[in-house]
Amino acid sequence: GDSGLECLVRSFGSEGKFTTEIGPLMPGVIYQGGELGHSLAVAQGTVLDCPGSVVACFLGDGEAETGGIAGAWHGGRFLHPRTCGAVLPVVNLNGFKVGSASLFSRMSEEDLRSYLSGCGYRAFFVGPDHMEMHLAVLHSLSLIQKYSLLGESEPFCGPWPAIVLRTTKGWTGPVEFEGTVLAGTLDNHKTPLKEAHFCASQMNALDAWLRSYKPLECFDKEGSPSDSVLAGVPPP
């Protein structure tokens, strides 16, 4: 039945269980989200301590406006692919931050590519096609692998790869509700259908959307991840 899903929902936002943001309790995650501006610098600090590692750092286009991220783009200049790991930034360009359009979304692709190039990155613009994303990751890792063959004494001039993933705000979420368009609007920031806790029709729409992810195939009756999900978890 739905006991696993009920357990998952009741655990959401509870201390020591499922946090409201991606956090270190989730396998493969090293940074607690929710406080914007630190992620790229944290990723760079991590690979300085872990030679040979590759850390994917996901950034919202709203977070990319913070001073911390703006400064951290230049941190890649301190990384040498032979003596430390590599960071692969992935910018989710969905067009909006809290309350308005993001700065990156107001820039042309040429301008954004030039901006990232000036920071020392070769940008791959993809999305929302999944295969484009897979190919961008493949090209990025191939570039990083090529750099890793440099000698320690050889200067590294880059550029590092970065992925700009175009998506619709609220991607895969409810497209509309009772005639009101939700996809691609600020109504999708953080949580769509925000009045579901006291509006039955919104609760039904929220239930239908969440069930579209087939949670009963992803979790067992106790709410633990299924074997198929765990198969993709990186080793500790």
Side-chain angles (χ1 to χ4, degrees), residues 4-23 25-26 32 190-192 206 209-210 219 223:
L5 178 59
E6 181 180 352
C7 178
L8 174 65
V9 172
R10 291 185 182 279
S11 299
F12 184 75
S14 300
E15 184 177 357
K17 296 182 180 179
F18 284 94
T19 57
T20 57
E21 305 282 351
I22 293 176
L25 291 175
M26 301 178 185
Q32 172 69 60
K190 294 288 273 188
T191 308
L206 184 64
W209 167 46
L210 294 177
F219 301 93

Side-chain angles (χ1 to χ4, degrees), residues 108-235:
S108 67
E109 179 176 317
E110 180 182 0
D111 285 347
L112 183 51
R113 190 185 299 276
S114 295
Y115 173 79
L116 293 174
S117 176
C119 293
Y121 292 87
R122 176 186 175 187
F124 295 95
F125 284 78
V126 299
D129 180 76
H130 289 86
M131 186 52 66
E132 285 185 351
M133 182 63 179
H134 289 311
L135 291 174
V137 172
L138 177 62
H139 292 324
S140 298
L141 295 180
S142 297
L143 200 58
I144 291 171
Q145 185 179 43
K146 174 185 174 182
Y147 293 158
S148 69
L149 300 177
L150 289 172
E152 292 186 19
S153 60
E154 294 182 71
F156 173 65
C157 300
W160 288 111
I163 296 174
V164 179
L165 173 62
R166 300 188 192 91
T167 64
T168 301
K169 187 72 171 180
W171 190 31
T172 76
V175 176
E176 60 88 29
F177 177 73
E178 295 183 347
T180 299
V181 175
L182 297 178
T185 72
L186 282 172
D187 287 334
N188 265 309
H189 188 76
K190 294 288 273 188
T191 308
L193 305 169
K194 295 177 175 60
E195 299 179 355
H197 59 291
F198 60 82
C199 176
S201 58
Q202 285 201 19
M203 178 60 74
N204 291 335
L206 184 64
D207 178 78
W209 167 46
L210 294 177
R211 289 182 186 277
S212 71
Y213 290 101
K214 301 179 180 179
L216 298 181
E217 297 180 10
C218 299
F219 301 93
D220 61 23
K221 292 182 178 180
E222 284 70 46
S224 299
S226 64
D227 291 340
S228 60
V229 172
L230 294 175
V233 175

Side-chain angles (χ1 to χ4, degrees), residues 42-121:
V42 168
Q44 292 162 349
T46 300
V47 301
L48 282 170
D49 286 337
C50 300
S53 64
V54 178
V55 172
C57 181
F58 289 84
L59 308 165
D61 50 357
E63 181 182 8
E65 295 182 20
T66 62
I69 297 297
W73 283 116
H74 298 285
R77 303 182 190 280
F78 296 98
L79 305 180
H80 191 288
R82 188 67 174 176
T83 57
C84 59
V87 175
L88 175 58
V90 181
V91 180
N92 182 16
L93 185 61
N94 63 26
F96 294 96
K97 56 183 177 182
V98 179
S100 67
S102 66
L103 288 177
F104 276 8
S105 70
R106 296 172 185 265
M107 298 169 66
S108 67
E109 179 176 317
E110 180 182 0
D111 285 347
L112 183 51
R113 190 185 299 276
S114 295
Y115 173 79
L116 293 174
S117 176
C119 293
Y121 292 87

